[in-house]
Amino acid sequence: MTAAHVEPPPSGPRRLRLLSYNIRSLRDDRRALVRVIRACAPDLVCVQESPRYWRPEGQAAWLARSTGTTVLAGGGRTAAGPLLLGRPGAVELLAVHDRLLPKTRGLHARGFATALLRLPGAAPFTVTSCHLSLDATERYGQFELLLEQLALAEQGIVAGDFNEHPDGPGWRMLASRLSDGHPTAPWGGEFTSVPENPYQRIDAVFTTPGITVLGCGVPHGLPGVTEADLRAATDHLPVLAFLELPADQPSAGPTAP
């Protein structure tokens, strides 16, 4: 695929660059993966399929170190794969709310990596990285549990590999309550799977209505992101979202008598 140059929305106050990426347990070309992440210059990275079984904490630390980020939440067995990384100084970590999900016998363990964060001048918000089930019944229940994670703060972001198409029941339920990033503000490419011949959108970024989506999509043509690296890095394409958080509203002081 040949991609034209894609100009990202400009940075500004209360603006956030968030990357969502299924990295397939670092089983592919790690150097290509690191180059893609660094070229996207994200403030936050919502990782799916971080290594879970062999030195998961060490491998998460390697990925963070290699991409100029730090581990904020999740990773390894803590959230059954989802991981949150952040650029130092970009966001303030207020709390961690990782969650292991109810498991259906015979299916993979799943979980959410969730953090409560703050940007300078912006209202606190949650970010959840998720990788939902291949089983339709279990997956719909996990879509419902995502709404519970969003209840932790007034503003929130959910990003991940949903293993469902936009016409699926869980996706439609979530999109009826949240903004689905790419159709809200199309930018870059639409389809996230598979890298060699993208034909379906199963990865996405959703936001609560108070968060403005300035652009969202696969970063084809972004300077530094090559098609060769996108094909070599993993079996999904990343989703890069440009978001603007609402201003923080100072609490009212005591009323004078």
Side-chain angles (χ1 to χ4, degrees), residues 18-23 32-42 44-48 159-161 182 187-196 198 200-205 216-222 224-242:
L18 182 143
L19 186 71
S20 183
Y21 212 173
N22 183 320
I23 64 170
L33 177 75
V34 167
R35 286 194 295 268
V36 170
I37 294 174
R38 282 189 168 272
C40 289
L44 290 172
V45 187
C46 292
V47 176
Q48 300 87 48
D161 173 0
H182 183 72
W187 175 90
E190 176 182 5
F191 299 135
T192 63
S193 175
V194 291
E196 296 80 6
Q200 60 179 349
R201 185 164 75 100
I202 59 174
D203 306 83
V205 176
C216 182
V218 178
H220 295 298
L222 188 73
V225 177
T226 70
E227 294 302 313
D229 278 349
L230 288 174
R231 290 191 296 269
T234 178
D235 63 345
H236 283 245
L237 292 170
V239 179
L240 182 60
F242 303 87

Side-chain angles (χ1 to χ4, degrees), residues 11 27 117 155 200 204 229-230 252:
S11 59
R27 287 184 290 172
L117 304 168
Q155 306 298 334
Q200 60 179 349
D229 278 349
L230 288 174

Side-chain angles (χ1 to χ4, degrees), residues 50-183:
S50 67
R52 289 194 287 170
Y53 301 112
W54 184 73
R55 297 185 60 247
E57 294 82 6
Q59 296 205 64
W62 176 88
L63 181 62
R65 189 168 57 248
S66 300
T67 56
T69 61
T70 60
V71 174
L72 299 178
R77 299 180 183 89
T78 304
L83 170 72
L84 284 179
L85 305 176
R87 180 171 58 83
V91 294
E92 178 187 0
L93 177 63
L94 302 178
V96 173
H97 296 279
D98 293 338
R99 181 174 184 178
L100 284 172
L101 304 183
K103 182 180 178 298
T104 302
R105 186 173 181 178
L107 299 179
H108 288 296
R110 304 279 176 174
F112 299 149
T114 300
L116 179 66
L117 304 168
R118 189 196 305 271
L119 275 178
F125 63 101
T126 59
V127 175
T128 296
S129 177
C130 65
H131 183 196
L132 303 192
S133 178
L134 291 168
D135 178 82
T137 300
E138 184 180 62
R139 183 170 62 245
Y140 190 85
Q142 293 167 356
F143 271 107
E144 293 179 319
L145 292 175
L146 282 171
L147 297 176
E148 294 183 11
Q149 295 298 97
L150 286 165
L152 295 167
E154 185 175 351
Q155 306 298 334
I157 301 163
V158 173
D161 173 0
F162 294 89
N163 273 321
E164 185 164 292
H165 297 129
D167 61 354
W171 190 302
R172 286 188 286 109
M173 183 270 291
L174 202 62
S176 71
R177 305 188 186 198
L178 306 176
S179 297
D180 183 351
H182 183 72

Side-chain angles (χ1 to χ4, degrees), residues 204-224:
V205 176
F206 290 90
T207 65
T208 50
I211 298 174
T212 302
V213 183
L214 304 172
C216 182
V218 178
H220 295 298
L222 188 73

